[in-house]
Amino acid sequence: MNEDFQVVIMDLNSVKEAVSQNEDGSFTIFINDSLHPQAKYDAYMHALKHINNNDFFREDEVDYIEFERHEK
């Protein structure tokens, strides 16, 4: 499990969460502040799945990766 990340809660308009890889190789998870607490937790867990499965280094289509994460 990758533990090198930070979480930022902020207004993301209609996006639930987003993840960005930082220059030092760590990640920042952005969570939409307007979400209900359970939805924030779900978005956080979804982002962690992407980080822990090294999805940012895969060459598969984004839609396929998202399908995999939602199925598991």
Side-chain angles (χ1 to χ4, degrees), residues 6-61:
Q6 64 181 341
V7 178
V8 176
I9 308 293
M10 61 184 289
D11 180 17
L12 294 175
N13 295 316
S14 63
V15 177
K16 292 181 183 179
E17 50 88 10
V19 180
S20 176
Q21 185 176 19
N22 304 312
E23 289 182 10
D24 65 359
S26 67
F27 292 90
T28 300
I29 300 171
F30 298 93
I31 306 289
N32 192 328
D33 187 40
S34 67
L35 296 175
H36 181 276
Q38 182 63 48
K40 285 179 185 171
Y41 175 78
D42 293 343
Y44 168 76
M45 294 304 294
H46 180 80
L48 278 183
K49 286 181 186 178
H50 283 298
I51 292 169
N52 290 327
N53 285 290
N54 294 312
D55 289 342
F56 299 96
F57 307 106
R58 292 177 54 183
E59 294 185 17
D60 296 319
E61 293 290 325

